[in-house]
Amino acid sequence: MLTISDLAKKKILALLGAEGRQGSALRMAIMGRGPAGFLYDLRFVEGTTKAPEDVVVDAGGFQVFIDPDSAPKLKGATLEFVEGVQQTGFRIDNPNPLWDDPKARAVQEAIDTKINPGVAAHGGFVSLLDVKDDIAYVALGGGCQGCGMANVTLKQGIEVIIREAVPEIHQVIDTTDHAGGTNPYYQPSKGGGASPFA
Amino acid sequence: MDRLLLLMTTTTYRAGAFLEAARRLGVPVVVGSDQPQVLAAANPGGNLTANFVNPDEGTRTIVEFSGQYPIRAVLAADDQGVILAASASAALGLPHNSVEAVVAARNKYRTRKMLAQAGIPSPVFQRIPIDADPEEAVREVSFPCVLKPLSLAGSRGVIRADNPREFAAAFRRVEAILRQPEVVAQAGEFSRHILVEGFISGREVALEGLLSHGRLKVLALFDKPDPLDGPFFEETIYVTPSRLPAAMQERTITRTAEALKALGLRHGPVHVELRVNDQGPWVIEIAPRSIGGLCSKTLRFVDGISLEQLILRHSLGYGVESLEREGQAAGVMMIPIPEAGILREIQGQAQAEGVPGIQEIRLTIPVGQALVPPPEGTRYLGFIFARGETPEQVEGSLRGAQRCLTFAITPLDDVAASECAGVPAYVRRREMEKAGSIRSRPRLPAGGSRRSE
């Protein structure tokens, strides 16, 4: 099911010890998808929080609880701990495809190959959150989050590209919390003032 | 199908509402903006970059574009696009206001002159070059007066002065705004002068309307219940329907129609601001576009049609005469910016949203960014929307929600320059002077906010 490297085990046991939580379990879940792949949630929980439907992995010294929705997407994955100049921390090597649904896979490919390379020019990125009932749900990040032109990028760019690539998609809905955007490429201004880059 | 060209700068608040309206109407849209759209290459028939500052050049671009992608109507979302929209419409033979009328409306001095020439009651007014010595210029000024830039929006740079000392200070403050590079780029020649006009006391109202070949359809008359007596004129609450006596409402509409005619505006949306006192209604400003910011969410017409849907339908030549505003009272509060600084935290939003009558709260400046109050500020902190049975209820809801909100703000004098992106250097310097960081001066009291540690 899930492999945990020796170094990762050692680090987790050390963390449990440091927090005085010997006997606790590690809960692992897939929270969604981002530009770099699956988004994971890892947290220590009490052993009593195990749900009957959880998949349990005995890591030797602690248990890992995985909810039934996340379990298939973690099959064959490896939890590692890496130490290096560019990254230090836990990393999950997951061989599973981001999407099982062929429609979602096609939308993801359009985002990866046509949309994200474009919006990267403004420091932005687009993540596919879900595809349901011919609607693609996306979130905009980086320079696109809070950008005054986010709606234009969505309607005149993202939606056009996705519908061209996957004609079954009828609508693209932006679920972004634009009020939380800290570095928007274009900031709205009273009266539609001059663009800062004019 | 022919397209509708929607002109908007990349800093507009209006993109979402207009694009959603177009989607609901099933109208193909071309977004014409002053800067390239990031994914424009993927949709060449849906995006266009045009020069808003040079309407002749911008018009050539639009006419050339329409050769490949025919355009059925041209509409500007904000002030910045209205002259180009008029110019392009004329070149394409589409119904629109004339360029001359729109240019007159974009220049507050020219507006004043044309209204006065048409015999419409006007305050005394004059135009003073920003290079003038305010101590000299003040000799021709009577008090109280209001100084304002010729073409900025949202009360930016509008300051009242009651005496020569206040006049000189206000003049230098407006001058500093007009010398900002982005203002010079945006306003061009309009940035070389300051309009000085007599202060008109009274209650302020705003009329949202739609002109069809010279005939005015009133979409809403808003009261602005907060007194706008200066020294700055930060707009806060708009509530419709108006609580003015019916006869005064009629006079306000008549005065508005006269003023629009005097300017030569005949077709498309208009947003007109007036003051009402015992001498009747006085026109303050006329804009040949719809209401700004996110305030249009306040207006909803039969069958849930939005203001933008109505404007798009009108621009495409569909009848809108039968589309009346829904019966409920509605209002919006543009949340006042309590003081200059870096926004650290917002508290009480959930409680504010729970106030009866509140429909939505949209905060539009994220935590971590700079707040700049009027007269220099160019951004709205956020919007509170409410509906109710009566205007009084709506106003009460808006005020109740605002009371729930607390903004933790670190004053500009307490933060590093690197955190002050978007704050003009002279504003930061003034705030530091106020705080005594540069030279000792008493600190102004803050209201509606708490200072973060």
Side-chain angles (χ1 to χ4, degrees):
Chain A
M1 170 68 212
L2 173 74
T3 304
I4 301 176
S5 73
D6 290 343
L7 183 55
K9 274 183 202 168
K10 197 173 149 190
K11 289 287 180 186
I12 290 167
L13 287 169
L15 282 170
L16 285 168
E19 293 184 17
R21 301 188 61 163
Q22 293 90 341
S24 291
L26 176 69
R27 178 166 287 282
M28 218 171 144
I30 287 181
M31 303 302 294
R33 295 153 180 90
F38 287 115
L39 301 174
Y40 301 96
D41 183 38
L42 282 82
R43 65 181 68 196
F44 293 133
V45 295
E46 295 305 316
T48 53
T49 64
K50 189 188 91 61
E53 62 272 23
D54 279 344
V55 174
V56 180
V57 176
D58 190 345
F62 64 94
Q63 288 186 317
V64 182
F65 299 160
I66 304 172
D67 65 85
D69 286 343
S70 301
K73 301 183 190 83
L74 283 168
K75 195 172 179 185
T78 303
L79 175 60
E80 302 171 309
F81 190 88
V82 292
E83 290 174 302
V85 176
Q86 290 192 318
Q87 184 196 358
T88 294
F90 291 99
R91 186 178 72 186
I92 296 164
D93 183 15
N94 193 337
N96 292 295
L98 274 179
W99 302 97
D100 296 326
D101 173 20
K103 204 158 48 184
R105 270 210 301 271
V107 173
Q108 183 70 54
E109 188 180 344
I111 289 174
D112 291 343
T113 60
K114 295 177 179 170
I115 294 171
N116 274 339
V119 296
H122 285 191
F125 60 85
V126 177
S127 304
L128 178 64
L129 302 183
D130 207 348
V131 175
K132 270 185 191 162
D133 301 330
D134 299 336
I135 298 174
Y137 295 85
V138 299
L140 279 57
C144 295
Q145 189 180 5
C147 176
M149 285 286 102
N151 280 294
V152 177
T153 303
L154 180 77
K155 301 282 184 197
Q156 303 296 95
I158 294 169
E159 189 166 302
V160 171
I161 292 169
I162 288 178
R163 291 177 65 175
E164 196 175 282
V166 191
E168 304 96 294
I169 297 293
H170 287 125
Q171 195 179 354
V172 178
I173 292 181
D174 176 16
T175 63
T176 310
D177 169 22
H178 284 287
T182 54
N183 191 26
Y185 195 74
Y186 293 125
Q187 285 187 348
S189 174
K190 289 178 181 177
S195 294
F197 304 102
Chain B
M1 189 188 288
D2 288 358
R3 293 160 163 78
L4 185 144
L5 173 59
L6 197 52
L7 295 176
M8 54 177 82
T9 61
T10 49
T11 56
T12 185
Y13 281 92
R14 310 280 288 122
F18 272 111
L19 290 174
E20 176 60 17
R23 188 188 71 78
R24 288 187 177 200
L25 288 174
V27 180
V29 165
V30 186
V31 171
S33 55
D34 56 334
Q35 299 290 317
Q37 292 303 320
V38 68
L39 294 173
N43 183 16
N47 296 284
L48 171 69
T49 307
N51 191 332
F52 282 41
V53 179
N54 182 337
D56 290 339
E57 187 186 322
T59 297
R60 280 195 293 277
T61 305
I62 291 169
V63 169
E64 190 180 328
F65 180 90
S66 73
Q68 190 172 1
Y69 304 103
I71 290 170
R72 191 168 154 192
V74 185
L75 196 66
D78 313 281
D79 286 324
Q80 293 307 308
V82 294
I83 295 176
L84 177 56
S87 172
S89 296
L92 294 170
L94 302 171
H96 202 281
N97 288 311
S98 70
V99 175
E100 295 73 23
V102 172
V103 167
R106 285 287 291 131
N107 178 341
K108 292 173 188 175
Y109 174 68
R110 202 149 157 188
T111 299
R112 276 274 165 253
K113 274 180 80 171
M114 292 177 75
L115 295 184
Q117 283 166 3
I120 292 170
S122 303
V124 292
F125 64 96
Q126 61 179 303
R127 187 178 59 169
I128 301 175
I130 58 170
D131 298 324
D133 177 357
E135 274 81 18
E136 290 288 322
V138 75
R139 291 178 188 165
E140 305 295 321
V141 174
S142 54
F143 295 100
C145 70
V146 177
L147 297 85
K148 52 173 80 167
L150 300 192
S151 70
L152 299 184
S155 301
R156 189 176 177 199
V158 182
I159 307 176
R160 171 177 166 162
D162 287 352
N163 55 54
R165 184 182 53 79
E166 288 181 5
F167 176 85
F171 191 95
R172 294 200 174 94
R173 202 158 171 178
V174 182
E175 178 197 346
I177 293 169
L178 291 174
R179 289 193 189 280
Q180 289 295 296
E182 53 97 9
V183 173
V184 173
Q186 172 187 339
E189 274 303 299
F190 295 161
S191 66
R192 302 297 308 158
H193 291 86
I194 296 170
L195 175 66
V196 180
E197 62 184 32
F199 172 75
I200 302 166
S201 61
R203 295 172 61 181
E204 194 154 314
V205 298
L207 186 147
E208 197 70 13
L210 199 52
L211 284 162
S212 300
H213 304 290
R215 195 174 65 255
L216 174 66
K217 175 182 172 67
V218 177
L219 302 176
L221 184 61
F222 289 96
D223 286 338
K224 303 186 193 180
D226 279 338
L228 288 163
D229 293 327
F232 312 127
F233 296 84
E234 183 173 34
E235 293 195 293
T236 53
I237 296 180
Y238 273 52
V239 177
T240 191
S242 171
R243 283 165 274 179
L244 285 177
M248 186 58 85
Q249 291 192 35
E250 280 304 314
R251 288 179 68 188
T252 302
I253 293 167
T254 303
R255 178 61 41 81
T256 300
E258 292 167 353
L260 295 170
K261 188 177 175 189
L263 282 192
L265 293 171
R266 293 181 49 77
H267 202 71
V270 287
H271 178 78
V272 183
E273 296 179 355
L274 307 97
R275 289 239 161 164
V276 176
N277 58 27
D278 54 8
Q279 295 172 63
W282 298 69
V283 174
I284 301 292
E285 283 177 13
I286 297 173
R289 43 98 180 145
S290 52
I291 192 168
L294 301 179
C295 298
S296 68
K297 284 174 75 80
T298 306
L299 297 178
R300 210 161 53 195
F301 298 83
V302 290
D303 299 331
I305 288 177
S306 69
L307 175 67
E308 291 76 15
Q309 279 176 271
L310 192 143
I311 292 169
L312 294 189
R313 286 175 62 106
H314 178 264
S315 71
L316 292 166
Y318 303 143
V320 296
E321 282 306 311
S322 61
L323 299 178
E324 295 299 331
R325 200 182 71 77
E326 63 172 14
Q328 262 194 325
V332 58
M333 173 184 277
M334 290 158 263
I335 302 170
I337 293 180
E339 63 177 321
I342 304 298
L343 179 61
R344 297 297 186 199
E345 189 184 0
I346 301 163
Q347 293 181 337
Q349 186 169 349
Q351 295 98 302
E353 286 168 341
V355 171
I358 295 300
Q359 303 278 298
E360 186 183 355
I361 295 177
R362 286 276 295 275
L363 297 164
T364 47
I365 296 184
V367 167
Q369 291 199 4
L371 303 180
V372 182
E376 285 86 6
T378 62
R379 301 175 68 191
Y380 297 104
L381 173 51
F383 299 82
I384 305 173
F385 301 95
R387 292 186 191 280
E389 289 306 309
T390 66
E392 290 81 0
Q393 281 179 7
V394 169
E395 184 183 335
S397 298
L398 294 170
R399 295 194 191 283
Q402 188 205 7
R403 279 194 295 273
C404 297
L405 294 170
T406 305
F407 300 94
I409 298 166
T410 305
L412 290 177
D413 58 288
D414 284 350
V415 296
S418 58
E419 274 203 277
C420 294
V423 181
Y426 70 92
V427 172
R428 183 160 183 261
R429 180 179 171 81
R430 195 185 55 242
E431 292 301 315
M432 293 175 78
E433 284 175 0
K434 270 200 261 174
S437 304
I438 294 181
R439 63 170 186 263
S440 185
R441 278 223 196 141
R443 181 174 284 196
L444 292 179
S449 69
R450 70 175 168 79
R451 296 189 164 213
S452 66
E453 299 305 319

